[in-house]
Amino acid sequence: MAKKYWLVKSEPDVFSIDDLAKTKNQTTYWDGVRNYQARNFMRDEMKIGGKVLFYHSNSDPVGVVGICEVVKEGYPDFTAFDPEDKHFDPKSKKNEPTWIMVDIKLVEKLKRTVTLSEIKANPKLQNMKLIQRGSRLSVMPVDKSEFDEIVKMSKK
DNA sequence: GCCAACGTTGGC
DNA sequence: GCCAACGTTGGC
């Protein structure tokens, strides 16, 4: 069954929520994911209309900064075919692409960042993959209750 | 910049 | 198939 709520990580030095806001149609392709688990989520389960928490990693502060929506379902990540691209992967063939991406569109920037430390401190959010030991997934499913809780926290 | 945790690679 | 070495992620 397709899941409806997600969290994606981005390093704001590379691509931030403000960069997304400035992008045409506030829509971007989510390229460069080179992890099979994350790839499988995008390929199999991220459906149009799915809601996505946009998370800033390697930043100050670290945390959830916005809400997006899936507007295009899994298709080949063409950056894997380009030898000049940072995410080039010679193993990925055009007729049999290894890597997949989706398009996401900005819905809203949160009024404030919901920080990682707040998430860790919230008893309702203890099951999030995000805070599980050593979790390095850059695309992960989130429960509706967790999604709603984070949005609620951003309004306080 | 450090380093723990993780995924991938490659020798055997 | 095992596992050491290596590269990457990402919080601090």
Side-chain angles (χ1 to χ4, degrees):
Chain A
M1 192 184 71
K3 297 183 178 68
K4 294 201 172 84
Y5 297 90
W6 302 92
L7 182 146
V8 297
K9 293 180 186 171
S10 185
E11 296 188 37
D13 290 346
V14 179
F15 190 80
S16 72
I17 189 88
D18 292 321
D19 293 328
L20 177 57
K22 280 181 260 173
T23 305
K24 188 173 176 237
N25 297 328
Q26 284 94 59
T27 300
T28 190
Y29 48 84
W30 205 250
D31 69 313
V33 173
R34 296 292 179 266
N35 169 283
Y36 286 101
Q37 237 188 309
R39 189 271 321 259
N40 292 347
F41 287 135
M42 292 197 291
R43 184 188 61 192
D44 304 331
E45 303 200 60
M46 285 184 92
K47 299 300 176 191
I48 286 177
K51 295 287 192 295
V52 182
L53 296 171
F54 193 109
Y55 176 91
H56 278 173
S57 64
N58 269 317
S59 63
D60 188 18
V62 171
V64 176
V65 291
I67 301 170
C68 301
E69 187 174 330
V70 179
V71 291
K72 182 170 178 179
E73 296 176 4
Y75 63 106
D77 179 344
F78 54 80
T79 65
F81 306 139
D82 178 3
E84 301 296 311
D85 195 278
K86 185 170 179 277
H87 302 293
F88 175 59
D89 181 357
K91 290 195 306 297
S92 185
K93 310 292 180 203
K94 282 189 181 172
N95 58 349
E96 203 180 342
T98 308
W99 303 114
I100 296 294
M101 60 188 178
V102 298
D103 286 0
I104 63 171
K105 181 184 172 84
L106 181 65
V107 174
E108 63 177 321
K109 189 177 164 180
L110 297 181
K111 293 212 172 1
R112 66 174 189 87
T113 303
V114 177
T115 65
L116 180 60
S117 57
E118 287 178 84
I119 291 171
K120 284 179 176 168
N122 187 328
K124 291 177 189 166
L125 301 177
Q126 293 309 296
N127 290 330
M128 288 187 74
K129 280 192 173 54
L130 179 68
I131 59 171
Q132 279 163 26
R133 181 187 158 90
S135 168
R136 285 166 40 186
L137 268 182
S138 59
V139 176
M140 67 186 85
V142 168
D143 286 347
K144 180 181 194 311
S145 61
E146 293 162 349
F147 184 96
D148 290 344
E149 178 68 14
I150 286 174
V151 173
K152 192 172 130 195
M153 288 163 79
S154 77
K155 289 175 178 163
K156 281 187 186 160

